[in-house]
Amino acid sequence: MKEDCEVFPIIVPVEYGLKTINFFLVRKEKRLLLIDAGIDDELCWGALNKTLNENGFSIRDITEIILTHHHFDHIGLVNRIVQEHPIPVYASPLSIKRLKRDPVFMKNRLAFYERFYQEMGCGELGKKQIQYLNKALEKNKHQALQCEISPITASTFQHFSVLEIPGHAPDHLAFWDKERNWLFSGDLLLEHISSNALIEPDENGNRLQTLIQQRDSLLKCLKLQPEIVFSGHGQVISEPNRLIQLRLERIEDKAERFYQLILTGFSTASEIAETYYKKTYLAQFSLVMSEVVSHLDYLELQGKIKKKQVKGIWHYSAMATHTAH
């Protein structure tokens, strides 16, 4: 690592599939940036302070916090840090209503999912998920960031290029250090698992085509040819280009599997999800539905399938002939 810039990874092991929660201290000249902020728990708080102390720093040496996206496992310590040491917090302009848990935005988001699960034929499981989300609205109010959040622009940081990489989240950003070929990618690219392209509404309540966004974001990062990717979970990635290619191939492979199910006669997203994922459909309902519907969007874009609404539910069928775009 070059002397004028150092990265101090904060790696916190967890017992579930993500393996670790990662966030990063970056020393650049007289600035000490914190990229993401883990979960709001004692493990992450302890790991942050341990990493600071081992390298001759304290909380009061952090000059700013920058966030890759709004998910709770990337923002957890922000309130705690800023209460102790008021510093600027930066995020995508699209993050702010989410980070503040704006009541109107959150209510509209809930209405979007209610409509989404109905249209995808999810029946009672969809209704249960809406009940869960309704309770979570109240339960997670404390996760709202209390501090002022400054929107990141292209000129916010001199030594990072800011990249918009939606897919996993609409507000997802990556930070590119061109001089060193380092990419701080948040959850776009994980070493041990594929990152979910989570179904989300846009600002107007329309469904985003998140897998198509995710694929475009992976291609954008592949063009950079990074040497090291500092990702939000798992190991720091030292051969990112090969891994990006594998993730792109996996998208094609899974889309083809869902296409074959449609050829077999399964027509609704919920039928395809239950047939392909079996017990996982029940255990990880919202993730599975995101995975299936986002791949169906991709197949539709390719001209391989079409959809028709019957009694308020979307039914998918194969096109007689299709042309790839």
Side-chain angles (χ1 to χ4, degrees), residues 168-206:
H168 177 67
D171 58 326
H172 208 313
L173 300 176
F175 307 108
W176 170 237
D177 184 331
K178 185 179 180 181
E179 190 180 342
R180 294 163 187 79
N181 285 358
W182 293 349
L183 185 68
F184 295 85
S185 71
D187 287 353
L188 174 67
L189 188 67
L190 308 179
E191 190 268 339
H192 62 293
I193 51 172
S194 293
S195 177
N196 297 97
L198 300 171
I199 292 294
E200 282 270 358
D202 66 13
E203 298 293 294
N204 300 312
N206 300 312

Side-chain angles (χ1 to χ4, degrees), residues 55 58 66 95 109 144 172 185 190 198 216 245 255 272-273 276 303:
N55 293 284
S58 73
I66 60 177
S95 299
R109 189 171 179 270
H172 208 313
S185 71
L190 308 179
L198 300 171
D216 289 344
Q245 291 285 9
I272 294 163
Y276 186 85

Side-chain angles (χ1 to χ4, degrees), residues 198-217:
L198 300 171
I199 292 294
E200 282 270 358
D202 66 13
E203 298 293 294
N204 300 312
N206 300 312
R207 181 158 61 82
L208 293 163
Q209 296 193 314
T210 52
L211 184 71
I212 294 159
Q213 289 183 324
Q214 179 94 330
R215 186 175 177 276
D216 289 344
S217 294

Side-chain angles (χ1 to χ4, degrees), residues 67-70 91-100 149 171-172:
L67 301 174
T68 59
H69 61 298
H70 72 280
S92 162
L94 295 176
S95 299
I96 294 173
K97 285 183 179 178
R98 293 172 166 87
L99 292 171
K100 290 292 187 181
I149 304 160
D171 58 326
H172 208 313

Side-chain angles (χ1 to χ4, degrees), residues 72-133:
F72 79 99
D73 53 341
H74 293 258
I75 67 164
L77 296 176
V78 171
N79 283 336
R80 197 162 172 178
I81 293 166
V82 173
Q83 279 173 359
E84 188 169 315
H85 176 44
I87 50 174
V89 177
Y90 296 95
S92 162
L94 295 176
S95 299
I96 294 173
K97 285 183 179 178
R98 293 172 166 87
L99 292 171
K100 290 292 187 181
R101 300 187 73 81
D102 176 81
V104 174
F105 176 84
M106 299 302 283
K107 186 179 176 184
N108 289 342
R109 189 171 179 270
L110 189 67
F112 162 83
Y113 284 115
E114 187 167 16
R115 187 173 69 251
F116 171 69
Y117 291 131
Q118 285 171 356
E119 291 179 347
M120 295 303 160
C122 298
E124 287 305 310
L125 270 180
K127 289 176 184 175
K128 280 185 184 175
Q129 181 65 13
I130 295 304
Q131 288 170 0
Y132 166 80
L133 291 175

Side-chain angles (χ1 to χ4, degrees), residues 14-270:
V14 291
E15 292 180 357
Y16 42 96
L18 293 175
K19 286 194 176 179
T20 65
I21 305 291
N22 303 345
F23 43 122
F24 303 94
L25 288 161
V26 181
R27 184 192 63 77
K28 175 72 173 174
E29 296 163 355
K30 294 182 179 179
R31 296 167 77 175
L32 186 65
L33 287 73
L34 182 64
I35 298 180
D36 286 340
I39 288 177
D40 183 15
D41 67 8
E42 292 308 311
L43 278 176
C44 284
W45 181 246
L48 170 62
N49 281 285
K50 182 172 185 282
T51 304
L52 285 164
N53 294 338
E54 285 175 350
N55 293 284
F57 302 117
S58 73
I59 288 287
R60 304 199 72 79
D61 291 308
I62 301 172
T63 53
E64 60 245 280
I65 301 170
I66 60 177
L67 301 174
T68 59
H69 61 298
H70 72 280
H71 290 168
F72 79 99
D73 53 341
H74 293 258
I75 67 164
L77 296 176
V78 171
N79 283 336
R80 197 162 172 178
I81 293 166
V82 173
Q83 279 173 359
E84 188 169 315
H85 176 44
I87 50 174
V89 177
Y90 296 95
S92 162
L94 295 176
S95 299
I96 294 173
K97 285 183 179 178
R98 293 172 166 87
L99 292 171
K100 290 292 187 181
R101 300 187 73 81
D102 176 81
V104 174
F105 176 84
M106 299 302 283
K107 186 179 176 184
N108 289 342
R109 189 171 179 270
L110 189 67
F112 162 83
Y113 284 115
E114 187 167 16
R115 187 173 69 251
F116 171 69
Y117 291 131
Q118 285 171 356
E119 291 179 347
M120 295 303 160
C122 298
E124 287 305 310
L125 270 180
K127 289 176 184 175
K128 280 185 184 175
Q129 181 65 13
I130 295 304
Q131 288 170 0
Y132 166 80
L133 291 175
N134 231 324
K135 288 176 185 172
L137 269 184
E138 190 62 35
K139 182 185 171 188
N140 297 330
K141 272 184 177 178
H142 69 282
Q143 290 179 4
L145 295 195
Q146 306 303 321
C147 57
E148 184 180 340
I149 304 160
S150 300
I152 293 176
T153 67
S155 59
T156 301
F157 305 105
Q158 288 183 341
H159 60 286
F160 283 141
S161 297
V162 179
L163 308 177
E164 293 181 1
I165 51 162
H168 177 67
D171 58 326
H172 208 313
L173 300 176
F175 307 108
W176 170 237
D177 184 331
K178 185 179 180 181
E179 190 180 342
R180 294 163 187 79
N181 285 358
W182 293 349
L183 185 68
F184 295 85
S185 71
D187 287 353
L188 174 67
L189 188 67
L190 308 179
E191 190 268 339
H192 62 293
I193 51 172
S194 293
S195 177
N196 297 97
L198 300 171
I199 292 294
E200 282 270 358
D202 66 13
E203 298 293 294
N204 300 312
N206 300 312
R207 181 158 61 82
L208 293 163
Q209 296 193 314
T210 52
L211 184 71
I212 294 159
Q213 289 183 324
Q214 179 94 330
R215 186 175 177 276
D216 289 344
S217 294
L218 286 167
L219 288 167
K220 183 186 285 190
C221 291
L222 185 61
K223 282 182 183 175
L224 297 174
Q225 294 288 297
E227 289 181 14
I228 296 177
V229 168
F230 296 95
S231 63
H233 306 282
Q235 296 179 15
V236 171
I237 300 166
S238 56
E239 289 187 64
N241 303 310
R242 186 179 66 85
L243 187 61
I244 292 171
Q245 291 285 9
L246 286 172
R247 294 290 178 259
L248 291 167
E249 288 166 16
R250 184 179 180 276
I251 289 170
E252 303 298 331
D253 178 60
K254 188 162 278 191
E256 180 60 26
R257 293 184 193 192
F258 294 152
Y259 179 63
Q260 292 300 322
L261 285 175
I262 290 169
L263 288 177
T264 309
F266 297 99
S267 71
T268 68
S270 59

